[in-house]
């Protein structure tokens, strides 16, 4: 009898240890058993999102949860329909990467009617009672982009190319960029000659808008603050056509494979690396906790979404240029041979 009790307590401590320290897979299988997560994505067009999806799903599976994924191919209305459909399918929690931060408020409303909690992943859902927001510090991403470019080109004509205006991140980035540039603008050293937004974060739109800006200013653009690597690619293509690629520094974000190659080639000055495994794993764990009605102790801050203060977890982005590019390799984000190989 005593022996049996001892084994029982040993087993309890064993399990508790695994639960609190996030130990091995098999033991955790029980944690989220029966939990169904809906992952609603804007689109998979930008390289990072497949990583987000794959790492998120893997972690959720390890936690014993089932995940249904849908992406709306850049269509906000379709995303709302897909999310609604997942609620009908009985998900316990929805994780949403909104195409349109304002339109997605409807998803939160419908979900809450059915008692389904909503986690805004990477991009905030505006004007809603969304339950949790997990992202990187996007204002800091913008600051790191412009701060880097301003160190290279402390005087001259700047073109600021923002991301999709429907994405709250694009506005946070611009805010951070302006924080870095404003003192130099005030001193008359930097002139922002054009400010644009790339519709849907589309590289072709970035290309077109850069061509227009170059034409309008007789190619007298000294630096471009581009908000992600995809759009930086469009900017650099336009610069290249004017033999300006490599002469005009361009920023980016995401540490995409092509961007890392351009950094080595000297046509893109920098990128901002965001360790995707951190956001994906944190979000999968938080989704399971939300589904179970548990508190999220890591949400130590709040972010205002024009309706309420949303509990938030904001992770730290990293400024990367050719001197510390190995960060992305050491972190397992890219293979060395993929970045250093000739195109
Ligand atoms: C993300 C970026 C991404 C962009 C385009 C933003 O919301 O934070 O990492 O490059 O969307 O998909």
């Amino acid at each position: 009898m005593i022996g049996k009790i001892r084994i029982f307590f040993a087993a309890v401590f064993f399990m508790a240890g695994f639960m609190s320290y996030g130990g091995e897979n098999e033991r955790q299988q029980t944690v989220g058993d029966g939990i169904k997560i809906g992952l609603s994505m804007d689109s998979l067009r930008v390289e990072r999102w497949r990583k987000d999806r794959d790492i998120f799903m893997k972690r959720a599976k390890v936690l014993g949860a089932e995940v249904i994924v849908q992406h709306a191919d850049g269509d906000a209305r379709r995303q709302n329909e897909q999310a609604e459909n997942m609620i009908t399918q009985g998900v316990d929690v929805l994780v949403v990467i909104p195409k349109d931060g304002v339109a997605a408020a409807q998803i939160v409303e419908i979900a809450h009617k059915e008692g389904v909690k909503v986690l805004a992943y990477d991009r905030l859902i505006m004007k809603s009672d969304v339950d949790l927001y997990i992202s990187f510090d996007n204002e800091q991403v913008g600051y790191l982009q412009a701060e880097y470019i301003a160190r290279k080109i402390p005087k001259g004509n700047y073109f600021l190319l923002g991301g999709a205006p429907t994405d709250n991140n694009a506005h946070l980035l611009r805010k951070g960029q302006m924080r870095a540039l404003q003192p130099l603008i005030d001193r008359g050293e930097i002139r922002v000659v054009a400010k644009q937004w790339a519709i849907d974060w589309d590289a072709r739109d970035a290309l077109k808008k850069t061509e227009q800006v170059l034409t309008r200013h007789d190619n007298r653009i000294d630096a471009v603050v581009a908000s992600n690597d995809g759009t930086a690619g469009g900017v650099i293509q336009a610069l290249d056509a004017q033999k300006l690629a490599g002469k005009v520094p361009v920023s980016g974000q995401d540490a995409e494979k092509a961007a890392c190659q351009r950094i080595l080639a000297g046509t893109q000055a920098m990128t901002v690396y965001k360790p995707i495994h951190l956001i994906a794993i944190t979000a999968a764990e938080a989704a399971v906790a939300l589904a179970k009605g548990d508190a999220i102790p890591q949400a130590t801050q709040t972010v205002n979404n024009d309706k309420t203060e949303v509990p938030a977890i904001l992770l730290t982005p990293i400024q990367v240029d050719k001197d510390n590019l190995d960060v992305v390799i050491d972190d397992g984000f890219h293979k060395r041979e993929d970045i250093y190989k000739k195109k």
Side-chain angles (χ1 to χ4, degrees):
M1 184 63 185
I2 300 283
K4 266 191 193 152
I5 290 173
R6 220 180 266 151
I7 289 167
F8 171 75
F9 277 113
V12 167
F13 280 121
F14 189 61
M15 287 301 290
F18 272 116
M19 302 223 187
S20 50
Y21 297 111
E24 274 322 297
N25 310 357
E26 308 81 59
R27 299 288 157 190
Q28 289 200 334
Q29 217 88 62
T30 50
V31 176
D33 258 354
I35 287 174
K36 212 172 180 183
I37 304 171
L39 175 60
S40 165
M41 308 183 76
D42 162 11
S43 88
L44 295 173
R45 278 178 219 157
V46 161
E47 184 178 285
R48 65 164 285 188
W49 299 118
R50 286 172 203 276
K51 280 196 185 160
D52 288 87
R53 179 196 60 190
D54 295 348
I55 300 168
F56 180 93
M57 288 187 74
K58 198 168 162 198
R59 187 64 185 165
K61 207 168 159 200
V62 164
L63 295 172
E66 183 196 335
V67 186
I68 316 173
V69 194
Q70 293 208 288
H71 75 84
D73 205 21
D75 181 336
R77 199 187 304 164
R78 185 151 158 214
Q79 181 167 33
N80 282 21
E81 283 163 12
Q82 288 176 338
E84 214 175 312
N85 192 259
M86 289 197 244
I87 295 167
T88 314
Q89 286 182 56
V91 296
D92 300 292
V93 57
L94 264 180
V95 177
V96 182
I97 302 163
K99 148 78 199 203
D100 181 322
V102 175
Q106 210 190 326
I107 297 177
V108 180
E109 214 174 287
I110 295 168
H112 281 180
K113 273 192 197 132
E114 300 302 323
V116 173
K117 295 227 166 96
V118 183
L119 188 167
Y121 183 113
D122 195 80
R123 301 173 178 169
L124 188 55
I125 300 177
M126 308 305 290
K127 296 181 183 156
S128 68
D129 293 311
V130 60
D131 299 280
L132 181 67
Y133 172 49
I134 303 183
S135 188
F136 289 86
D137 182 340
N138 289 287
E139 218 179 295
Q140 180 65 6
V141 173
Y143 180 83
L144 294 176
Q145 293 169 329
E147 186 273 339
Y148 185 95
I149 300 293
R151 252 191 290 136
K152 298 281 159 193
I153 308 284
K155 287 185 181 157
N157 291 345
Y158 270 58
F159 169 33
L160 307 191
L161 179 63
T166 47
D167 176 356
N168 185 55
N169 286 350
H171 302 280
L172 295 173
L173 294 166
R174 176 66 59 80
K175 199 168 163 200
Q177 292 162 359
M178 290 311 290
R179 180 155 57 86
L181 299 180
Q182 200 59 54
L184 294 144
I185 297 171
D186 290 344
R187 291 207 293 272
E189 286 156 9
I190 284 177
R191 259 186 77 214
V192 177
V193 296
K195 279 184 183 175
Q196 299 272 356
W197 305 98
I199 302 301
D200 290 347
W201 291 98
D202 182 17
R204 282 160 308 178
D205 195 44
L207 165 67
K208 196 180 79 193
K209 284 183 172 146
T210 309
E211 282 169 351
Q212 287 165 354
V213 167
L214 286 171
T215 307
R216 206 172 313 132
H217 295 277
D218 290 325
N219 282 357
R220 284 199 293 271
I221 298 293
D222 301 303
V224 183
V225 179
S227 293
N228 80 344
D229 289 339
T231 54
V235 171
I236 291 162
Q237 207 181 321
L239 289 172
D240 196 34
Q242 300 302 315
K243 311 257 179 302
L244 290 173
K247 293 187 184 138
V248 176
V250 179
S251 62
Q253 169 189 194
D254 289 338
E256 284 190 356
K257 205 185 288 174
C260 293
Q261 290 167 349
R262 289 194 296 262
I263 288 173
L264 286 176
T267 54
Q268 183 170 329
M270 61 86 69
T271 187
V272 177
Y273 169 53
K274 302 187 295 185
I276 296 302
H277 62 275
L278 286 185
I279 183 171
I281 286 173
T282 308
E285 290 175 354
V288 169
L290 280 179
K292 288 168 53 189
D294 289 351
I296 313 287
Q298 310 98 297
T300 51
Q301 36 192 323
T302 61
V303 172
N304 191 283
N305 73 346
D306 292 341
K307 180 169 188 198
T308 182
E309 291 292 323
V310 183
I313 302 173
L314 298 183
L315 305 164
T316 307
I318 302 163
Q319 200 177 47
V320 170
D321 72 356
K322 61 176 179 336
D323 294 334
N324 68 339
L325 192 61
D326 275 5
V327 170
V328 301
I329 297 162
D330 298 342
D331 217 23
F333 195 67
H334 291 305
K335 293 201 189 88
R336 181 172 295 276
E337 58 268 30
D338 286 342
I339 293 180
Y340 284 84
K341 79 169 179 225
K342 291 255 177 295
K343 272 200 205 165

